[in-house]
């Protein structure tokens, strides 16, 4: 069910951001930044950004250097994509909000600030949940 998927994803993503800030290497941060820039390009071209969004998150978990965490997020990614693909709202506005949230995550990761990365990813997951469920479950 969607609430359980969102709850699980949230915890995995927050932990991956923490570890990425602590363990990530320059090449990892470059990959995350490239994924963010690809999201911007798709957004500005009025193209779907679902793939770029998930590549951003997958780059973060890869930077965590935790293979089990990577496997778990990879395992639930198809369900997350399906959930987002079927989600109906003002996509341009939703993507703009995600873009701003991603920028905050990126900035904290580039600073190698694990506390700020946790806070930024927590906010992004909370906002994402609220956009989809319109209520506070987590």
């Amino acid at each position: 069910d969607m609430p359980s998927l969102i709850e699980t994803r949230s915890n995995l993503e927050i932990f991956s951001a923490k570890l990425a800030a602590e363990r990530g290497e320059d090449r990892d941060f470059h990959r995350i930044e490239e994924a963010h820039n690809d999201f911007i390009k798709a957004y500005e071209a009025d193209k779907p950004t679902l793939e770029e969004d998930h590549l951003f998150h997958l780059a973060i978990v890869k930077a965590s250097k935790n293979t089990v965490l990577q496997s778990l997020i990879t395992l639930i990614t198809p369900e997350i994509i399906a959930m987002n693909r079927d989600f109906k709202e003002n996509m341009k506005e939703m993507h703009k909000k995600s873009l701003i949230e991603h920028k905050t995550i990126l900035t904290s990761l580039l600073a190698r600030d694990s506390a700020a990365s946790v806070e930024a990813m927590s906010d992004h997951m909370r906002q994402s949940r609220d956009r989809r469920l319109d209520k506070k479950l987590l």
Side-chain angles (χ1 to χ4, degrees), residues 21 103-114 116-118 120-121:
K103 178 64 176 172
T104 304
I105 295 165
L106 176 63
T107 300
S108 64
L109 288 170
L110 291 175
R112 272 96 165 149
D113 185 336
S114 63
S117 296
V118 164
M121 185 63 80

Side-chain angles (χ1 to χ4, degrees), residues 81-109:
I81 290 172
M83 174 186 69
N84 287 322
R85 187 178 298 122
D86 296 336
F87 186 65
K88 306 291 184 225
E89 72 168 89
N90 181 339
M91 297 307 277
K92 187 75 173 172
E93 186 61 29
M94 181 181 80
H95 294 152
K96 180 180 178 182
K97 289 177 182 177
S98 289
L99 190 59
I100 293 166
E101 293 160 16
H102 282 192
K103 178 64 176 172
T104 304
I105 295 165
L106 176 63
T107 300
S108 64
L109 288 170

Side-chain angles (χ1 to χ4, degrees), residues 35-53 90-100 102:
H36 178 68
N37 290 335
D38 289 344
F39 189 112
I40 292 170
K41 289 175 192 169
Y43 172 80
E44 289 175 345
D46 260 344
K47 294 182 178 179
T49 59
L50 187 57
E51 183 176 335
E52 290 78 9
D53 178 63
N90 181 339
M91 297 307 277
K92 187 75 173 172
E93 186 61 29
M94 181 181 80
H95 294 152
K96 180 180 178 182
K97 289 177 182 177
S98 289
L99 190 59
I100 293 166
H102 282 192

Side-chain angles (χ1 to χ4, degrees), residues 9-84:
R9 178 189 184 202
S10 178
N11 285 290
L12 295 174
E13 294 279 1
I14 292 165
F15 188 49
S16 73
K18 177 187 185 304
L19 294 181
E22 295 170 355
R23 300 175 178 175
E25 300 171 8
D26 288 343
R27 70 174 180 250
D28 298 313
F29 296 113
H30 179 71
R31 191 177 302 116
I32 296 165
E33 195 164 21
E34 279 183 341
H36 178 68
N37 290 335
D38 289 344
F39 189 112
I40 292 170
K41 289 175 192 169
Y43 172 80
E44 289 175 345
D46 260 344
K47 294 182 178 179
T49 59
L50 187 57
E51 183 176 335
E52 290 78 9
D53 178 63
H54 288 286
L55 290 175
F56 176 78
H57 286 274
L58 291 173
I60 294 170
V61 73
K62 186 166 185 167
S64 77
K65 309 298 186 204
N66 182 313
T67 57
V68 174
L69 192 54
Q70 290 175 45
S71 294
L72 291 171
I73 288 180
T74 301
L75 180 69
I76 65 171
T77 293
E79 290 186 48
I80 294 165
I81 290 172
M83 174 186 69
N84 287 322

